[in-house]
Every structure is written in C-alpha cells, then in structure tokens.
Amino acid sequence: MGVWQPLPDDLPPEVRHFVEQLRTLKDSTGLSLVALGAKTAYSKSSWHRYLNATQPPPRQAVAALCRIAGLAGPDAERFGVRWELAVQAWPRPATLPVRPDGAAEYEDDPTLPWWDAPPDHTPAAPDGRLLRYAVVLLVALLAVGLLAAVTLG
C-alpha cells in the first residue's frame, strides 16, 4: 500500500517479524490508517505506533485487524502466537509503572481463544462496598416510607 518507515535496527527479531506481518495484513485490507481506525476501537495514531513498532498493540487490536482482513481459525491463531512472542520480546520502557501492594497481576483466561479475551481496559470487579451501601440505603428508604405510612395513615 504505502511506504513504511524503516523499523529500528535494534528491534528483537520476534518483534520485527510480527510488525512486518502486521503491516502486510494491514496492507491486505486496502485501508488507510484513518479508515482502519474508523473500523476498529483504535485511533489512527495508535495504529501508527503499532505498525512502526513504537508500542506493542493490544491483543484486541490485532484481533480486530484479523477480522477485518478476513483471517479466522488456524490463521488467526497463528497470528495470536506471533503476537504473544512479540509482546514477550518487546523492548521495555526505561521505567515500568509500579503496581500497588497487593494488586493482582492480570491473568488471561486460558479457556478463551486469544481473539475472544476481554479488552485490556476491563474495569475491575467491585469489592462489595457499593452493594452494602445500596442495601443500607434501601433499608433506610423503606423505614422512612413505613414510618410515613404509619404516621399519616
């Protein structure tokens, strides 16, 4: 499609191979980055970063591109394996965000195929406090309503 900028020389081979395959897959769609961004949940600038190896793409971005390109079954699974290898080898930033003490590390559900996994931005499950507050509020409202009915009735 277009001319891609050269990939960094110090890129690990797994990352280089994956990004080259990702570029080929993107080119096979015939879509511009703007059109690709419109068809996926990822912006033109995000796709630019993914396709130039400045940032690893989320699994869901790769899955979306596979669907748009018509890849399914074993071909999509092979792309998922390439993604996993690339992400493991992807150069890490100089500083990593610090995880709060006691925060669990995200683990993939091994029963799901890689393209059906939940998005990376899945909100955390509530810890139960909200439910307790809602129950207390409901009981208080019922008590006020019952008191009003007895007083006025």
Side-chain angles (χ1 to χ4, degrees), residues 1-2 15 19 26 32 37 48 52 69 74 76 104 107 109 113 125 127-128 146 149:
M1 185 123 175
V15 175
V19 172
K26 182 262 176 215
S32 67
H48 185 268
N52 287 302
E107 292 185 24
D109 181 350
D127 63 2
L146 183 62

Side-chain angles (χ1 to χ4, degrees), residues 1-70:
M1 185 123 175
V3 176
W4 292 102
Q5 71 183 43
L7 294 172
D9 291 332
D10 60 346
L11 211 54
E14 300 89 350
V15 175
R16 178 175 299 281
H17 178 70
F18 173 73
V19 172
E20 288 169 349
Q21 294 293 311
L22 198 64
R23 287 175 169 187
T24 301
L25 188 61
K26 182 262 176 215
D27 287 345
S28 74
T29 67
L31 297 173
S32 67
L33 291 180
V34 172
L36 183 59
K39 287 186 170 275
T40 65
Y42 303 91
S43 67
K44 170 193 169 201
S45 58
S46 292
W47 281 110
H48 185 268
R49 289 189 300 273
Y50 308 152
L51 293 164
N52 287 302
T54 56
Q55 178 183 348
R59 176 192 335 230
Q60 294 72 25
V62 176
L65 180 56
C66 285
R67 279 191 294 277
I68 290 168

